[in-house]
Amino acid sequence: MSMQTKLLLLISLAGVMLVGSFAAEPSKGVTIYTPYTKISVPPGESLDYTVDLINNTDVVQNLDISISGIPRGWDFDLKSGGWKISRISVLPGEKKSLNLKVEVPLKINKGTYGFTVNAGQYTLPLSVIVSEQGTYKTEFTTTQANMEGQSNATFTYNAKLRNRTAEKQLYGLTTNAPRGWNVSFRAGGKQVTSVEVEPNNIIDITIEVKPPAKIEAGTYKFPIRTATSNTSAELELEAVITGSYEMELTTPQGLLSTSITAGDEKKVELVIHNPGSSELRDIEFSANKPVDWSITFEPSKVDVLRTGGSTQVTAIIKAPQKVIPGDYATKITARTPEASSGIDFRITVKTSMLSGWLGILIILIVIGGIYYLFRKYGRR
């Protein structure tokens, strides 16, 4: 190998080493850093960035700060140390932090949006993915719009009211429930007729519904509306009334007493009325009677008693032969699995005519015997 060739090789090697040393040397200038440069958020979200400016040079860097390319309708606020800034100075080898707040509007199309943080000649591109189609509206929702119960029940629905507008809204709460229904609203544990909701916030609304007492069984629907001057939403609720079970037991004239002769039987007419909103089925009868008494019913059971209807049943009461005269109490009850009604009945026991005449005859015989003895032995 000639000396000229060796010299060329040495020069080439030195050049490669020189280039390598330049590549390994850290780059000079200012680094703009934030950990999250591409994020996904829903419409109406507030984004808070912490952006660091790192001075890698040996001199103080005075940098003009700006945000460029911000999408139309978006708002931003750029501060450092609690101050709004447009220029910042960073010492060699140190860093300064910026606080960037970006407001994504509620009314926005789904997609990817970008903007840039500028510090002098240095830039940091940021991307925001809006994950769903934005709206400028109110959302009024519930997870359980249908409930079932008797007419004397209180139906409680839980709803959520979301303000998806860019302003605080005062919502009025109204309903167009059927006549006789009582509907009230609660928020924060208090009964209300209106609620105030901050932008993009959600509050819980409790809706309490009381149907009329004598309402017929069936399915009832009624709308619940919330509205401001700018926006509104409606929620349809449904209540399934299974009806109420009620029963009244009495007598045709309302008298709750009778009389009976010892050893005889007495028929007492009873009236059963259904004032509820559901049919009564399989009505049975029982009596809490004195010892050795007998009380039976004709018929022994009523199969069906329709709403608002009445029917008569005969109670057949039989007193024992040797019962002591006086007043006796018994409780007569009509019962189904769903309802029952009872009356306290007083029975007065009288002695029979034959027993009365026998008593008088015995008294007369005793008196006659005394008289006979007096006449026979009284003068001796």
Side-chain angles (χ1 to χ4, degrees), residues 14 32 94 97 123 129 141 146 198 204 224 243 289 296 348-349 368:
I32 308 177
E94 293 190 1
S97 293
T123 61
I129 301 172
T141 59
N146 174 284
E198 296 290 336
D204 294 321
I224 304 296
K289 60 187 184 297
T296 57
T348 301
V349 176

Side-chain angles (χ1 to χ4, degrees), residues 336-359:
T336 72
E338 297 83 13
S340 66
S341 179
I343 55 173
D344 292 318
F345 207 78
R346 190 179 79 249
I347 306 170
T348 301
V349 176
K350 298 179 179 179
T351 56
S352 65
M353 292 292 293
L354 178 60
S355 298
W357 284 112
L358 286 175

Side-chain angles (χ1 to χ4, degrees), residues 276-298:
S277 57
S278 294
E279 290 183 345
L280 295 173
R281 293 181 174 274
D282 301 324
I283 304 173
E284 296 181 344
F285 306 94
S286 63
N288 184 10
K289 60 187 184 297
V291 178
D292 296 331
W293 286 59
S294 171
I295 301 179
T296 57
F297 301 92
E298 291 183 357

Side-chain angles (χ1 to χ4, degrees), residues 142-147 157 235-239:
T142 181
T143 56
Q144 183 63 53
N146 174 284
M147 289 193 178
Y157 304 85
L235 179 67
E236 186 176 69
L237 301 179
E238 184 177 84

Side-chain angles (χ1 to χ4, degrees), residues 64 102 119 156 238 311 337 341:
D64 291 322
V102 179
T156 302
E238 184 177 84
T311 190
S341 179

